[in-house]
Amino acid sequence: MRIGVPRESVDGERRVALSPESAGRLVKSGIEVAVEGGAGVPANFPDEAYANAGAAVGSAEATWSADVVVKVQKPTQAEAHQLPRGAILVSLLPVATSADLLAQLAQGGVSVLGLEKVPRITRAQSMDILSSQATIAGYKAVLIGAAEMGKILPMLTTAAGNIPPAKAFVLGAGVAGLMAIATARRLGAVVSGFDIRAAAREQVLSLGATFVGPEPQADAEAAGGYARAQTEEEQRQTMEAMARHLREQDLVVTTAQIPGRTAPRLISAEMVGSMRPGAVIVDLAAETGGNCELTQAGATTVHHGVSIVGAVNLPSSVPHHASLMFSKNVLTLLQHLIKDGGITLNLDDEITGPMCLVHDGSVRT
Ligand code: NAD
């Protein structure tokens, strides 16, 4: 069996799906690995590292004609045409915006495992790409915010005067949010957090941050540990509490998401207008519509002196470690799938079943 690792072609994507170390593990277990020349370079994995690990570094064709192709971003339609009938594609693949691609892959006899669909069960935790990449995003969001601010985060007592610590607020305390809280604390800010899930409240407190906003409801958590959408009344109460708290903040990181929906709108333009000039909002929900009314995905907007950063694909901006984690997740998934040197997809399996988006000529979403 041969596993192909093509270069990522999406603009700005610097991650690679398989690190040299993971490639080496597969090679040791008797699997051939073909890596397109330069595929790991943006993530600081030179071709020689793959070659030293026993992978064949070569042309794009050699990777696209493999039995299994692993990628970070979904392929373009032209790339997908190169996949042979019977091949398995493993990549991120947002179902809601990929109907044509999925139909094309089904027609081409390709099977597809979508990495967003790794089930959130203990057994699959080490394959959970959404979590590993959210960890990186939460960390980087704080660094971006800190760099954008006209203030420093820690308290200073110096001969040149005393500086109070900055106030940071993290809205949405899931995987990314908790990492943002931990990072802002390490940088010396006074940190607060909010989430609608009761479990998140304890996690915020355990990181040494304060919890603000309405008491989480016991029924706010849906399947897989995700939040359910709030009712209009609940959302109104949340926004009211946020409005008071936001006025005091220097750095706000928002991460609130509801799977399969547009992000909840929790910060209005009016609320931004009441914030301190020089404050920064880094909106990690920018790609799904934004938690702030003024967010523009991929751009920074300034309103009444407050900068709103519409953060997009932050994991790609930390390509080395994001790729190492992505690759470890992919390796664990492949090790789960490979039996006797080959892969037969078992759709009754509790991990493979939910991840399988295309199989046997049909789209399964
Ligand atoms: P996510 O990216 O879907 O959402 C981010 C956060 O936003 C969540 O904590 C959510 O509760 C919160 N949120 C949604 N609506 C909100 C609102 N109106 N106001 C404030 N906050 C709001 O979620 P995620 O971070 O990927 O994961 C959430 C949780 O899932 C984790 O904290 C964890 O408990 C669980 N999880 C379980 C596993 C596993 O068992 N394998 C893996 C990963 C995560």
Side-chain angles (χ1 to χ4, degrees), residues 164-225:
K167 289 187 176 164
F169 174 49
V170 177
L171 210 174
V175 180
L178 291 173
M179 186 64 181
I181 289 175
T183 307
R185 289 257 307 147
R186 281 182 200 129
L187 288 174
V190 171
V191 185
S192 54
F194 171 68
D195 199 295
I196 54 174
R197 291 178 303 106
R201 185 178 191 282
E202 302 313 312
Q203 289 158 351
V204 167
L205 296 175
S206 75
L207 288 173
T210 51
F211 190 86
V212 294
E215 193 66 21
Q217 303 293 309
D219 69 348
E221 188 156 321

Side-chain angles (χ1 to χ4, degrees), residues 18-356:
L18 210 60
S19 67
E21 192 207 336
S22 300
R25 297 271 201 100
L26 290 164
V27 169
K28 279 203 183 95
S29 65
I31 312 282
E32 276 179 53
V33 178
V35 179
E36 182 176 348
V41 170
N44 309 117
F45 299 117
D47 287 349
E48 304 82 72
Y50 288 100
N52 292 341
V57 180
S59 66
E61 292 73 45
T63 65
W64 285 104
S65 60
D67 304 291
V68 179
V69 172
V70 293
K71 273 196 98 273
V72 176
Q73 300 286 348
K74 68 180 182 184
T76 62
Q77 288 186 269
E79 286 170 338
H81 270 301
Q82 302 177 64
L83 289 162
R85 201 159 271 282
I88 299 173
L89 169 69
V90 180
S91 79
L92 289 169
L93 213 157
V95 170
T97 51
S98 308
D100 289 352
L101 176 65
L102 288 169
Q104 181 194 329
L105 290 161
Q107 216 171 28
V110 174
S111 294
V112 179
L113 297 179
L115 291 171
E116 292 93 340
K117 300 284 184 187
V118 172
R120 295 198 133 177
I121 53 175
T122 309
R123 245 184 98 209
Q125 232 165 351
S126 49
M127 308 169 196
D128 187 354
I129 272 154
L130 291 186
S131 288
S132 70
Q133 304 302 294
T135 304
I136 301 276
Y139 162 81
K140 190 65 189 271
V142 171
L143 297 194
I144 288 175
E148 192 80 18
M149 284 163 60
K151 291 185 171 182
I152 61 167
L153 290 164
M155 181 176 81
L156 286 189
T157 310
T158 76
N162 300 335
I163 295 178
K167 289 187 176 164
F169 174 49
V170 177
L171 210 174
V175 180
L178 291 173
M179 186 64 181
I181 289 175
T183 307
R185 289 257 307 147
R186 281 182 200 129
L187 288 174
V190 171
V191 185
S192 54
F194 171 68
D195 199 295
I196 54 174
R197 291 178 303 106
R201 185 178 191 282
E202 302 313 312
Q203 289 158 351
V204 167
L205 296 175
S206 75
L207 288 173
T210 51
F211 190 86
V212 294
E215 193 66 21
Q217 303 293 309
D219 69 348
E221 188 156 321
Y226 288 114
R228 65 156 170 80
Q230 286 190 299
T231 62
E232 263 180 43
E233 177 52 21
E234 286 170 334
Q235 184 147 343
R236 193 192 59 73
Q237 285 174 11
T238 303
M239 288 181 74
E240 216 174 85
M242 297 304 106
R244 283 192 298 275
H245 191 61
L246 284 168
R247 282 182 212 136
E248 308 291 315
Q249 303 305 311
D250 299 300
L251 169 61
V252 178
V253 175
T254 68
T255 76
Q257 301 262 18
I258 304 291
R261 292 182 175 235
T262 51
R265 218 12 101 64
L266 300 169
I267 303 180
S268 64
E270 194 187 339
M271 286 153 82
V272 174
S274 75
M275 290 174 68
R276 293 172 169 172
V280 178
I281 299 174
V282 181
D283 193 342
L284 282 187
E287 278 166 280
T288 52
N291 292 141
C292 175
E293 185 184 349
L294 299 171
T295 298
Q296 286 180 35
T300 297
T301 317
V302 180
H303 181 72
H304 285 282
V306 177
S307 302
I308 303 116
V309 182
V312 172
N313 198 3
L314 290 191
S316 173
S317 71
V318 191
H320 190 77
H321 279 143
S323 299
L324 278 180
M325 293 171 89
F326 193 104
S327 167
K328 186 73 203 325
N329 295 144
V330 167
L331 175 67
T332 315
L333 173 67
L334 292 171
Q335 286 168 335
H336 170 72
L337 295 171
I338 297 169
K339 303 265 173 318
D340 303 324
I343 297 180
T344 311
L345 293 180
N346 170 12
L347 301 191
D348 294 328
D349 178 74
E350 64 176 347
I351 296 171
T352 316
M355 290 185 69
C356 188

